[in-house]
């Protein structure tokens, strides 16, 4: 178990990204661990506030630690979108090696203040801190295309210097959820903005949130098994790979895993309507997660054999 400071700086220097995958149960953790072990890839296990409420903080910490010890992988345990100093402190005290304090909904000075508060507590404990400038939202904000949505390049240097953060999540066109762009917009990222930020922060780790591809073939197959979607559109893997080979050194992926797991569970029950042993269908989750993480390591992150 390591923090993300050296892990992400190495990724930036060698033009790959570390995958940050959200976890909330044993099977997700095991599937991610096996994929990274087999492909010798570093990894970041992410836990959201919602997952902590669902599974419990200590249980998640100990499951991740146990899986890392058993597989010998190079891994960090990271709080995703921590929204208060108190939650960040609680996670640090419980054994997290990295935390994100998300003050992107605050004004610039308030964002600096809360980030610095977390850094001042985390740094002496060898825990790295991620901050965010710019906001990640749904496709409605993309439709409006307001400049407030994107990271302000004129603020990044001051923000990093005054907070002391170890990595920065930038808003360059990604979004959480299954619909990241409206249907008549061709998916793309603002690489010109990313390049400008990279020049202002040379060698500094930059992070990309909301980076699932939401593959149309998975959506179509899921709909065949009864899932309902009104609108879906993700970011093509080739665009994400371009970011990983550039200055983005941490890519967050959650939605794609959720979709694949849900699809394969629906498929399993459709084909095995007599099955009632949880071990039979929970095994589907583990296998599905391992498969999709392997694909992300190869097709998106470029992180194979980088551990």
């Amino acid at each position: 178990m390591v923090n993300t400071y050296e892990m992400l700086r190495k990724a930036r220097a060698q033009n790959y990204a570390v995958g940050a995958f959200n976890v909330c149960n044993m099977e997700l953790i095991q599937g991610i661990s096996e994929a990274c072990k087999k492909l010798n890839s570093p990894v970041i296990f992410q836990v959201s506030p919602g997952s902590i409420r669902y599974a419990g903080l200590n249980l998640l910490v100990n499951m991740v630690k146990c899986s890392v010890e058993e597989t010998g992988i190079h891994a960090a345990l990271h709080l995703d979108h921590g929204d208060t100093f108190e939650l960040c402190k609680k996670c640090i005290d419980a054994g997290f090696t990295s935390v994100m304090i998300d003050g992107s909904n605050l004004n610039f000075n308030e964002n600096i203040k809360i980030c610095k508060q977390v850094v001042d507590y985390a740094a002496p404990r060898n825990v790295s801190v991620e901050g965010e400038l710019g906001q990640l939202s749904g496709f409605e904000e993309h439709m409006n295309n307001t400049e407030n949505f994107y990271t302000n390049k004129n603020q990044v240097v001051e923000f990093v210097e005054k907070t002391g953060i170890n990595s920065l999540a930038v808003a360059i066109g990604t979004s959480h959820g299954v619909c990241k762009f409206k249907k008549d917009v061709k998916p793309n990222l603002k690489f010109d903005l990313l390049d400008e930020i990279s020049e202002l922060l040379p060698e500094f780790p930059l992070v990309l949130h909301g980076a699932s591809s939401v593959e149309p073939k998975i959506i179509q197959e899921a709909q065949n098994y009864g899932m309902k979607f009104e609108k879906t559109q993700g970011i093509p893997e080739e665009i994400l790979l371009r970011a990983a080979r550039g200055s983005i050194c941490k890519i967050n992926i959650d939605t794609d895993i959720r979709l694949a797991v849900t699809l394969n569970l629906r498929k399993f029950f459709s084909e095995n309507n007599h099955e009632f042993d949880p071990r039979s269908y929970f095994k589907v989750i583990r296998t599905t997660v391992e498969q999709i993480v392997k694909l992300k390591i190869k097709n998106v992150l470029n992180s194979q054999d980088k551990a």
Side-chain angles (χ1 to χ4, degrees), residues 1-4 21-24 29 44-53 55-65 75-82 86-100 118 121-129:
M1 294 285 291
V2 299
N3 66 31
T4 57
F21 303 99
N22 287 70
V23 296
C24 63
I29 293 168
I44 298 168
F45 293 93
Q46 290 197 151
V47 175
S48 68
S51 293
I52 292 172
R53 290 191 295 270
L57 184 61
N58 291 328
L59 182 61
L60 288 168
V61 170
N62 284 289
M63 283 195 296
V64 170
K65 285 185 175 180
L77 175 58
H78 177 75
L79 171 64
D80 187 29
H81 288 285
E86 290 74 20
L87 178 58
C88 291
K89 180 180 181 297
K90 187 176 181 180
C91 289
I92 292 168
D93 293 343
F96 279 57
T97 61
S98 179
V99 295
M100 176 195 185
V118 173
Y121 188 80
R125 293 162 177 80
N126 196 30
V127 173
S128 49
V129 179

Side-chain angles (χ1 to χ4, degrees), residues 151-190:
T151 297
N152 185 339
K153 65 181 180 181
N154 298 318
Q155 295 178 333
V156 295
V157 173
E158 180 182 359
F159 188 76
V160 169
E161 289 179 348
K162 288 187 175 181
T163 59
I165 57 172
N166 306 110
S167 60
L168 177 66
V170 293
I172 57 171
T174 57
S175 173
H176 295 128
V178 296
C179 190
K180 304 178 187 299
F181 306 91
K182 64 178 184 176
K183 279 292 186 180
D184 57 345
V185 171
K186 184 178 180 181
N188 207 347
L189 302 179
K190 294 194 72 166

Side-chain angles (χ1 to χ4, degrees), residues 259-272:
L259 288 172
V261 166
T262 304
L263 162 62
N264 284 323
L265 281 175
R266 283 177 173 269
K267 186 176 182 180
F268 176 86
F269 285 119
S270 174
E271 297 171 352
N272 300 274

Side-chain angles (χ1 to χ4, degrees), residues 33-44:
S33 297
E34 282 301 312
C36 293
K37 176 183 178 180
K38 290 176 181 177
L39 295 185
N40 192 30
S41 172
V43 68
I44 298 168

Side-chain angles (χ1 to χ4, degrees), residues 7 10 36 54 60 66 73 76 107 127 131 133 138 154 172 175 209 235 268 279 299:
M7 176 188 282
K10 178 184 174 184
C36 293
Y54 171 75
L60 288 168
C66 182
I73 59 176
N107 67 45
V127 173
L133 272 178
N154 298 318
I172 57 171
S175 173
H209 285 238
I235 305 168
F268 176 86
R279 291 170 296 184
N299 300 337

